[in-house]
Amino acid sequence: MMRSIRRLGLALASAMIISNGAAFAAASSNAMPHVEVVAEWNRLPYDLGDAQAEQAYQSNQTYKKVLLQGVKVDSHGTMYVSTARWGGPDVPATLSKLVRKNGQWELQPFPSVAMNKVGDRQALQSVLGFEIDRNDVMWILDQGHIAGQPSAAGAEKLILWDLKTDREIQRYEFSDADSDKKCSFLNDVVVDNDRGVAYITDSGIFCDHLHGGLIVYDQKSNRARRVLDQTVFTTDEAGFNFRIDNEPVLSKTPMRTGADGIALSGDKRTLYWTNLSGHTLYSLDTALLRNFETSEAALRTAVKRVATLPSNTDGMIADRSGNLYMTALEMNGINFRDAKTGAISTYVIHPEMVWPDTLSWSPDGSLYVVSGHLNKWVDNQMDFDHPAVPNFRIWKIEAHGKSYTTK
């Protein structure tokens, strides 16, 4: 299964450590923000409400197929995580709520076991990106693909789930014009509550050529539009050499991934994004994107190359003031872009923050981020028994910000 994913192109300072949730302090001329680990695992445990199923998960070593990718936090501080089914259909759930059980955090299928059933078009098939907005509505982006295979009918979709009432309030199934059911890799989503619009990156990795692009979704009309399809703005950069800890990512073929990290400014006027296989930060005026009558030519002309980043980026997020926080894969940390000056600086660097992925705001103004050693997982080199450091971590980082979704 892992070889199949690689073949299809799932190309997807110093520190003092006190483990088990204690603080991390980094040596720097400027003081780094307080950083702590709030959860960590060598292998991901599930609370399935079924002892036999949980035992089978362990005895069959299904945990080797499960990778932690995203984390989001609701207004009550509850953490939710995504585990896209890149390893196959036997991954127990692709979206989960973290619950304490037997003294550790476990993944409880969310919204339910039934809503994570493989093969049911009404259920979640493979969730990577999701967002929780200011109204505690979860915008769930289902990329549909199971282990890199073409998506089944209705599998690629966006579901809006109200956490307060625990029910689905809206869904949109992506048409063939929105996403290619063989090539697309729906990656991440940001939400404008003011106007009822979501912006989505498609990395387009499952074909010989990258099929990257952006998708704009209008909640009020329940329709979507694909833009910047297979352009220089949504594909990889020529000659990009992706290395982590001085080792190439993918040992046999270079990792190639299009549009990935995405962020919406606090005033909702600017959309930012990056391609994973590149160092360029792009932006576009959202007024142009929201207007489905804006021509493709006009959009391409309006794209701005904002900056050349010191590292490629997977996850991005903005605060209410428009400052950007961008995971830095080649640096094992997070970079910061000041909204007023445009200056880009190091925010957090830690040698064990390997492949920092999705970012999330918490109610107290802290940032949460997953580090999941994706580079080891995709190359089938992950040690699930005795790794040098835990394979999967959720970090909490001092930020004193407010989510971009707030008014």
Side-chain angles (χ1 to χ4, degrees):
M1 196 71 69
M2 294 293 299
R3 289 193 298 272
S4 173
I5 289 179
R6 290 201 303 275
R7 182 172 63 251
L8 287 167
L10 182 59
L12 291 167
S14 62
M16 173 181 67
I17 306 170
I18 306 174
S19 60
N20 298 322
F24 288 74
S28 173
S29 57
N30 297 313
M32 291 284 186
H34 177 83
V35 178
E36 63 178 294
V37 172
V38 296
E40 60 182 27
W41 308 266
N42 291 336
R43 57 180 74 164
L44 295 171
Y46 276 92
D47 172 19
L48 301 174
D50 182 331
Q52 186 174 359
E54 291 169 7
Q55 178 59 41
Y57 172 75
Q58 293 293 336
S59 59
N60 295 334
Q61 297 187 351
T62 306
Y63 55 79
K64 292 185 177 181
K65 301 180 180 181
V66 187
L67 176 72
L68 187 68
Q69 294 120 351
V71 62
K72 294 293 176 178
V73 185
D74 69 15
S75 64
H76 300 288
T78 303
M79 294 182 287
Y80 303 82
V81 297
S82 60
T83 49
R85 287 188 169 107
W86 299 343
D90 44 352
V91 173
T94 185
L95 183 66
S96 302
K97 177 171 67 174
L98 290 189
V99 296
R100 294 292 289 184
K101 184 180 179 183
N102 300 323
Q104 69 171 342
W105 289 107
E106 298 193 0
L107 282 66
Q108 185 181 85
F110 184 84
S112 64
V113 171
M115 270 295 290
N116 279 269
K117 183 179 180 181
V118 172
D120 182 351
R121 66 180 295 166
Q122 297 300 311
L124 302 173
Q125 301 305 294
S126 189
V127 175
L128 175 58
F130 65 111
E131 181 62 290
I132 299 174
D133 69 19
R134 67 184 181 218
N135 302 314
D136 264 352
V137 172
M138 183 183 289
W139 299 58
I140 308 169
L141 182 62
D142 191 345
Q143 57 181 205
H145 300 275
I146 305 291
Q149 297 302 305
S151 296
E156 296 185 16
K157 54 188 174 287
L158 182 67
I159 293 179
L160 277 62
W161 192 274
D162 190 337
L163 298 177
K164 298 187 297 294
T165 60
D166 195 29
R167 66 183 182 91
E168 180 180 324
I169 57 176
Q170 192 162 329
R171 80 166 49 200
Y172 177 80
E173 294 183 359
F174 294 103
S175 69
D176 290 343
D178 301 328
S179 63
D180 186 304
K181 302 308 178 288
K182 178 181 178 182
C183 303
S184 282
F185 185 84
L186 302 179
N187 197 309
D188 208 351
V189 57
V190 289
V191 177
D192 178 355
N193 281 128
D194 298 338
R195 299 168 182 85
V197 176
Y199 304 93
I200 295 163
T201 47
D202 182 351
S203 304
I205 68 172
F206 286 126
C207 285
D208 292 336
H209 63 283
L210 284 182
H211 200 140
L214 303 181
I215 300 172
V216 184
Y217 169 71
D218 187 312
Q219 180 187 7
K220 296 176 183 177
S221 62
N222 200 35
R223 61 179 181 146
R225 181 194 183 195
R226 186 180 184 87
V227 299
L228 303 182
D229 181 49
Q230 300 181 73
T231 64
V232 296
F233 312 116
T234 54
T235 58
D236 58 341
E237 296 176 3
F240 180 76
N241 183 21
F242 188 9
R243 301 178 69 87
I244 290 180
D245 292 337
N246 294 319
E247 296 181 357
V249 176
L250 291 182
S251 58
K252 296 181 180 179
T253 58
M255 178 175 280
R256 300 184 61 217
T257 308
D260 189 329
I262 189 169
L264 186 61
S265 62
D267 61 12
K268 319 301 188 298
R269 295 179 180 178
T270 306
L271 183 73
Y272 298 93
W273 74 94
T274 61
N275 301 312
L276 183 69
S277 302
H279 288 128
T280 305
L281 176 66
Y282 297 100
S283 75
L284 247 179
D285 187 330
T286 55
L288 295 174
L289 286 165
R290 294 195 311 271
N291 182 359
F292 283 21
E293 301 304 315
T294 305
S295 70
E296 177 72 11
L299 289 174
R300 295 185 185 190
T301 301
V303 173
K304 296 179 181 178
R305 289 179 170 85
V306 178
T308 299
L309 302 174
S311 168
N312 65 334
T313 293
D314 193 343
M316 301 171 59
I317 203 164
D319 62 21
R320 185 65 186 89
S321 299
N323 302 306
L324 290 182
Y325 302 80
M326 303 169 286
T327 64
L329 302 188
E330 295 161 298
M331 300 167 64
N332 294 349
I334 297 172
N335 286 324
F336 174 85
R337 181 180 183 270
D338 188 285
K340 294 180 179 178
T341 66
I344 296 172
S345 59
T346 299
Y347 194 71
V348 168
I349 296 293
H350 193 284
E352 295 182 6
M353 193 179 286
V354 181
W355 203 294
D357 202 317
T358 306
L359 289 158
S360 176
W361 287 106
S362 68
D364 66 359
S366 300
L367 283 173
Y368 281 64
V369 65
V370 163
S371 64
H373 292 82
L374 186 149
N375 51 312
K376 296 294 185 183
W377 191 88
V378 297
D379 225 5
N380 203 24
Q381 295 180 358
M382 184 169 280
D383 181 351
F384 292 91
D385 297 311
H386 305 290
V389 298
N391 290 320
F392 311 113
R393 276 176 166 161
I394 297 177
W395 308 69
K396 182 178 181 180
I397 303 167
E398 178 185 18
H400 305 301
K402 291 185 178 180
S403 171
Y404 74 94
T405 64
T406 57
K407 292 183 179 180

